[in-house]
Amino acid sequence: MSFLVAQVDYDYPDTRIEREIIEAAGGELKSAHLRDEQELIDFAADADAVIVQYAPITRNVLEHLPSCKIVSRYGIGIDNVDVVAAQELGIYVAHNPEYCIDEVSDHALAMIMTLQRQIASGTDLVKQGMWDFTKLTPIKASSQTTIGIIGFGHIGRRIAQKLQAVGFPCIAHDPYVSQETFDSHGVRRVALPYLMQYADCITVHCSLTDETKNLVDAAMIGLMKPEAYIVNTSRGPVIDVDALSLALRQGKVRGAALDVLPEEPPKSFEEIAHLPSLLLTPHIAFYSETAIVELRSSIARQVVQVMQNEAPRYNAY
């Protein structure tokens, strides 16, 4: 069996993992760093499969890949691939919805605990020469701090387990998850406005779709308690960051922790540096050495599955 795989963009320092898996199955891998639509088409025009990370795989791109049987995307989300067009053209769209579940949920938990226990604010206070815990109050007990989880998929469910283990009660919103799933995890299912209004801390774990873009907008942020926090380790555009920035400046939200932004890197580091009560990390929640090896291997293996006339393990439709 012989087949050609076009790896059109990737963040990794080499292609060793993918190449070994593909070549062991009789395939050939060619690699490039491309984002331009026409360059993508020219590079992958003769490929039987495409591996992609961030580059937009549009309907136009897909229609110009006559031999392509699968687009395999590094990550959980597939928002940069036109899945509807792929399905119409009979092209699989592979991803890995079980990748980095512990990494992202650990990161979210760390951010929640840092905000709730005032760790970053306390550090800043002491470094400014003040030894006065009263400037950090009020601080609720974990048992009295309700966490609202937006998105109750693999990561949302895992963060619920971890939060409950250290005493936080949880509520969650997800219109696509069954009541039985909520019940089995001991989490109360609520509407989004209720969650925004009653949660003491909100953590976002939904994928990015047309429906979830700016899901947490100015109106939703306006429902939050002034002493509440919000955490985002999913996708930047799920939260209207301009509305959140205004709420932070006006003291209408006590704090926020973001691992993702609508634009990465941000246009102005200086602007975000002066936002009060904001924790930021540079889109690292997904990362561990173990998770990266797992992701790269699974994305390549799913290409091989399709080349062997099997369905990929995780098809997006």
Side-chain angles (χ1 to χ4, degrees):
M1 177 178 61
S2 176
F3 58 92
L4 177 63
V5 181
Q7 185 182 30
V8 297
D9 88 305
Y10 55 99
D11 267 349
Y12 313 116
D14 57 54
T15 62
R16 178 185 56 82
I17 293 171
E18 298 85 350
R19 190 174 301 279
E20 287 179 358
I21 291 170
I22 289 163
E23 290 182 352
E28 176 189 348
L29 178 70
K30 63 177 183 177
S31 304
H33 295 283
L34 304 171
R35 298 286 176 90
D36 177 76
E37 192 171 83
Q38 189 57 53
E39 289 180 347
L40 286 171
I41 292 169
D42 293 342
F43 182 75
D46 56 346
D48 300 289
V50 170
I51 293 177
V52 64
Q53 191 158 19
Y54 304 118
I57 306 299
T58 63
R59 178 180 289 274
N60 184 48
V61 170
L62 293 168
E63 287 176 345
H64 285 83
L65 305 181
S67 301
C68 185
K69 299 176 180 66
I70 177 173
V71 174
S72 198
R73 199 246 159 195
Y74 293 114
I76 296 173
I78 35 82
D79 44 278
N80 60 314
V81 181
D82 189 329
V83 177
V84 173
Q87 185 173 12
E88 290 175 2
L89 293 165
I91 299 171
Y92 288 112
V93 179
H95 61 141
N96 190 339
E98 295 186 354
Y99 146 73
C100 72
I101 292 171
D102 275 316
E103 286 77 6
V104 175
S105 57
D106 284 348
H107 200 88
L109 178 61
M111 284 181 149
I112 291 166
M113 295 290 285
T114 297
L115 290 169
Q116 194 260 345
R117 293 302 309 169
Q118 293 287 295
I119 291 170
S121 299
T123 299
D124 291 342
L125 192 73
V126 174
K127 286 184 175 181
Q128 292 167 19
M130 289 179 277
W131 192 266
D132 184 0
F133 77 88
T134 64
K135 295 186 180 298
L136 303 173
T137 59
I139 298 175
K140 286 186 173 183
S142 58
S143 61
Q144 303 301 310
T145 303
T146 298
I147 309 297
I149 303 168
I150 300 177
F152 207 56
H154 292 292
I155 295 173
R157 296 195 289 270
R158 187 63 60 86
I159 187 67
Q161 293 172 338
K162 293 176 180 181
L163 287 163
Q164 290 167 326
V166 291
F168 290 95
C170 297
I171 57 176
H173 170 76
D174 194 320
Y176 301 105
V177 173
S178 70
Q179 185 62 51
E180 289 75 17
T181 300
F182 282 88
D183 293 343
S184 68
H185 286 80
V187 174
R188 184 158 61 101
R189 182 180 200 163
V190 298
L192 183 59
Y194 181 97
L195 183 148
M196 299 299 299
Q197 187 172 358
Y198 289 101
D200 298 295
C201 182
I202 296 152
T203 182
V204 181
H205 298 286
C206 59
S207 57
L208 178 62
T209 65
D210 290 341
E211 193 175 10
T212 62
K213 186 174 182 181
N214 282 335
L215 179 68
V216 182
D217 58 11
M220 286 295 167
I221 292 169
L223 295 175
M224 292 174 63
K225 301 174 183 178
E227 66 272 21
Y229 304 101
I230 189 163
V231 171
N232 189 9
T233 54
S234 62
R235 286 289 187 270
V238 173
I239 295 180
D240 182 337
V241 172
D242 290 337
L244 177 59
S245 299
L246 181 61
L248 288 169
R249 289 192 184 96
Q250 294 178 342
K252 294 180 178 179
V253 173
R254 190 175 184 187
L258 307 176
D259 182 59
V260 289
L261 295 170
E263 183 177 47
E264 297 176 0
K267 283 182 180 177
S268 172
F269 283 95
E270 184 177 356
E271 182 178 336
I272 61 175
H274 292 96
L275 282 173
S277 305
L278 176 65
L279 301 179
L280 283 170
T281 51
H283 202 150
I284 195 175
F286 70 93
Y287 187 83
S288 74
E289 279 73 13
T290 300
I292 293 303
V293 171
E294 175 194 337
L295 175 65
R296 293 174 64 184
S297 300
S298 74
I299 292 312
R301 282 196 298 265
Q302 291 183 86
V303 167
V304 171
Q305 283 180 302
V306 172
M307 295 303 107
Q308 294 174 342
N309 296 315
E310 302 173 17
R313 182 175 181 182
Y314 303 110
N315 186 36
Y317 58 83

